[in-house]
Amino acid sequence: MQGKIEHYSLAYIDPTISTQDNGRILGYDNSHNYHHKHWFGTVETIEFSSFEQLETEFEEEFWEIYHEHHGKK
């Protein structure tokens, strides 16, 4: 049996790219009683299907942003 995730927060903070939202470039969380995405200073409501799906999406977006701004390593 798997446990239930009640609160989550995934964040990529990099003030060398942007200082908006305290340097948070990308983030997903469910604070304030709704699921939402932070993207370069904006916040939008998102559909939530599972934490695992969200974690995969976050990781893909993180690497895309990272490579765009810091090059491939």
Side-chain angles (χ1 to χ4, degrees), residues 31-67:
S31 64
H32 312 294
N33 298 316
Y34 73 104
H35 301 278
H36 53 281
K37 175 181 181 177
H38 296 258
W39 179 259
F40 287 90
T42 65
V43 179
E44 64 182 54
T45 302
I46 60 164
E47 288 286 325
F48 179 84
S49 59
S50 74
F51 180 76
E52 292 77 17
Q53 181 273 330
L54 193 63
E55 188 175 35
T56 298
E57 187 172 327
F58 174 84
E59 186 174 355
E60 290 171 358
E61 290 177 297
F62 164 79
W63 284 115
E64 184 178 317
I65 296 166
Y66 182 86
H67 291 311

Side-chain angles (χ1 to χ4, degrees), residues 13 18-27 38-43:
I13 298 170
S18 174
T19 57
Q20 293 178 318
D21 199 11
N22 296 311
R24 181 170 27 191
I25 304 303
L26 170 65
H38 296 258
W39 179 259
F40 287 90
T42 65
V43 179

